[in-house]
Amino acid sequence: MLKSALETRLDAAEAGELEPSQSSSEVRARTKVIAESNRKLMASMASFMSKYFPPPSPDDDESDATASTSSSKKAAGKQKEPQRQPKGAITQFFARDRPALRSLNDLLEDLMNKCMTSPHDPYITLDDSHWPPYIELIVRSGIGMRHPHIPRKLKLTDFHQ
């Protein structure tokens, strides 16, 4: 949003619509600084995400979220974790058509890009490639919010308001 505002001012400066005190080189310099800071922020976010929120494996699904809670109960000594049954032929048949699960970093990057490229429609459409526990993490932590009428759509929360 800030980058697009600076680019608009740059275009206005080149057209001669700004005061003489604001040169286009000054606006270009600020745009370059913001772009560099954005690149560093994205790199540090990617590093954090890869360390604490690894990409889900192809075997992960919603039942794994319940398995992880049962494993934490097992660690507390309250419940024994159920053993996994080998996948049957039908499960394997339907699993091969399922797209690869995307990481939390990809989901957040999609949300930020959609917010910046089309602020009039900031929602992304969720599909089977988005891991449900990561979607719930984003919604419950207040980072994103679902569309009021279409639950398969998600957008970043408006933090500036």
Side-chain angles (χ1 to χ4, degrees):
M1 190 156 149
L2 185 58
K3 183 180 177 184
S4 64
L6 287 174
E7 288 173 348
T8 303
R9 294 216 29 175
L10 179 61
D11 293 340
E14 289 174 349
E17 298 170 1
L18 291 178
E19 300 89 33
S21 65
Q22 296 177 335
S23 67
S24 61
S25 61
E26 180 182 321
V27 175
R28 277 196 185 101
R30 286 196 293 177
T31 303
K32 188 182 259 187
V33 168
I34 289 173
E36 180 64 24
S37 114
N38 184 35
R39 188 191 63 75
K40 287 179 182 178
L41 181 65
M42 292 300 244
S44 65
M45 184 182 81
S47 172
F48 177 83
M49 292 292 178
S50 66
K51 183 175 180 181
Y52 294 105
F53 298 98
S57 68
D59 295 333
D60 288 340
D61 59 9
E62 287 192 52
S63 64
D64 285 345
T66 58
S68 66
T69 57
S70 66
S71 65
S72 64
K73 289 179 184 177
K74 179 184 174 187
K78 295 182 180 178
Q79 187 179 14
K80 189 175 182 181
E81 185 175 339
Q83 292 184 351
R84 289 191 177 256
Q85 297 295 325
K87 290 185 177 181
I90 294 175
T91 306
Q92 289 177 355
F93 175 77
F94 287 111
R96 73 174 179 201
D97 293 334
R98 186 178 196 186
L101 295 172
R102 299 178 65 200
S103 67
L104 181 62
N105 190 30
D106 290 342
L107 179 58
L108 287 174
E109 188 175 330
D110 288 346
L111 286 167
M112 287 187 282
N113 288 338
K114 184 68 171 179
C115 180
M116 296 301 282
T117 58
S118 58
H120 59 281
D121 183 27
Y123 290 96
I124 63 168
T125 303
L126 301 171
D127 55 15
D128 291 338
S129 68
H130 297 102
W131 198 37
Y134 282 166
I135 296 167
E136 288 303 313
L137 174 71
I138 288 173
V139 171
R140 289 183 181 180
S141 64
I143 296 170
M145 52 193 297
R146 292 187 185 271
H147 192 279
H149 304 294
I150 307 169
R152 298 293 293 172
K153 290 193 171 209
L154 184 71
K155 76 168 188 167
L156 281 179
T157 301
D158 296 330
F159 292 110
H160 63 278
Q161 293 180 349

